[in-house]
């Protein structure tokens, strides 16, 4: 019968363009680099599909994503620290997930979801807290105490909610970008910046 015909480009993986005709595919090989000049789909009849990126002896595993021009991003598995790192063209480490699962963001966390935009739900009776810290001195947070209380702030009861500082720094409450109430971080003395009105039939007792 007739033999196989066709032409191709050196370094390009061939494909059948007709029953007995070979031509270029969208896959090219140059030394240790494979280039696919189009979409790639991995499919199967059932079960999971796996794409493995593996280094043999050293180095990190990296997926680079590049749009038109130089804009893009990368997903990196860092071998030395067992971290997953997500980067874009502006921020090298926008999100880092440690080997223990802790997530560190290098910028703001924003959500447009209405309702429970950020939900922290512990599966145990342990304390839960959101910690705000700009250095070793400025350290505050919002806490839900554990079932016994006194875990994060002394004198609290079980499952109490607490807003406070973790160092001897003052705590302020404010409105309209101005402080209205101050709790002294050392003595606990309370200072109001304006009048204190108590709407109560019985006398106010201060002891």
């Amino acid at each position: 019968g007739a033999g196989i015909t066709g032409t191709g480009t050196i370094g390009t993986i061939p494909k059948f363009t007709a029953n007995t005709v070979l031509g270029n595919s969208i896959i090219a090989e140059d030394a240790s680099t494979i280039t696919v000049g189009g979409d790639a789909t991995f499919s199967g009849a059932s079960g999971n599909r796996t794409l493995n990126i593996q280094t043999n002896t050293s180095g990190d595993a990296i997926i680079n994503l590049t749009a038109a021009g130089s804009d893009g991003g990368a997903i990196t598995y860092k071998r030395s620290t067992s971290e997953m790192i997500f980067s874009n063209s502006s921020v090298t480490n926008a999100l880092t997930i440690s080997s223990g699962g802790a997530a560190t963001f290098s910028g703001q966390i924003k959500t447009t979801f209405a309702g429970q935009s950020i939900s922290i739900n512990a599966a145990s009776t342990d304390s839960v807290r959101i910690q705000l810290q700009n250095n070793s001195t400025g350290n505050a947070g919002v806490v839900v105490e554990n079932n016994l209380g006194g875990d994060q702030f002394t004198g609290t009861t079980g499952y109490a909610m607490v807003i406070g500082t973790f160092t001897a720094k003052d705590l302020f409450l404010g409105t309209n970008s101005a402080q209205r109430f101050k709790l002294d971080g050392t003595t606990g003395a309370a200072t109001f910046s304006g009048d204190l009105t108590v709407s109560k039939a019985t006398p106010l007792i201060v002891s």
Side-chain angles (χ1 to χ4, degrees):
I4 296 175
T5 62
T7 60
T9 303
I10 296 175
T12 300
I13 308 300
K15 73 171 185 179
F16 280 99
T17 59
N19 289 339
T20 59
V21 181
L22 287 176
N24 287 338
S25 71
I26 62 172
I27 305 173
E29 185 268 337
D30 181 12
S32 60
T33 301
I34 299 291
T35 302
V36 179
D39 296 335
T41 301
F42 301 88
S43 63
S46 63
N48 299 327
R49 305 273 70 79
T50 302
L51 172 63
N52 290 318
I53 300 177
Q54 179 177 339
T55 60
N56 292 327
T57 58
S58 63
D60 302 329
I62 302 173
I63 299 176
N64 283 317
L65 308 170
T66 304
S70 59
D71 292 334
I75 302 173
T76 303
Y77 176 77
K78 193 170 182 62
R79 181 187 181 95
S80 60
T81 57
S82 300
E83 294 174 325
M84 288 291 295
I85 301 173
F86 295 80
S87 307
N88 60 32
S89 56
S90 301
V91 183
T92 302
N93 297 335
L95 168 62
T96 301
I97 302 176
S98 71
S99 58
T104 301
F105 294 85
S106 62
Q108 295 180 341
I109 302 175
K110 296 182 179 181
T111 176
T112 58
F113 178 75
Q116 287 183 314
S117 297
I118 299 177
S119 178
I120 302 175
N121 189 357
S124 68
T125 59
D126 293 337
S127 298
V128 178
R129 78 180 188 182
I130 299 174
Q131 186 169 349
L132 310 172
Q133 185 173 359
N134 55 9
N135 54 43
S136 60
T137 304
N139 193 352
V142 180
V143 169
V144 174
E145 286 283 8
N146 64 11
N147 60 320
L148 301 177
D151 179 50
Q152 301 291 312
F153 288 87
T154 59
T156 57
T157 56
Y159 300 115
M161 177 181 174
V162 187
I163 301 174
T165 63
F166 298 110
T167 58
K169 295 299 178 182
D170 300 335
L171 174 66
F172 291 88
L173 298 180
T175 61
N176 198 26
S177 300
Q179 73 91 1
R180 309 300 185 187
F181 172 75
K182 171 188 172 183
L183 276 177
D184 189 279
T186 302
T187 66
T191 303
F192 292 86
S193 62
D195 296 336
L196 174 62
T197 302
V198 180
S199 300
K200 194 172 183 181
T202 58
L204 175 64
I205 300 175
V206 180
S207 59

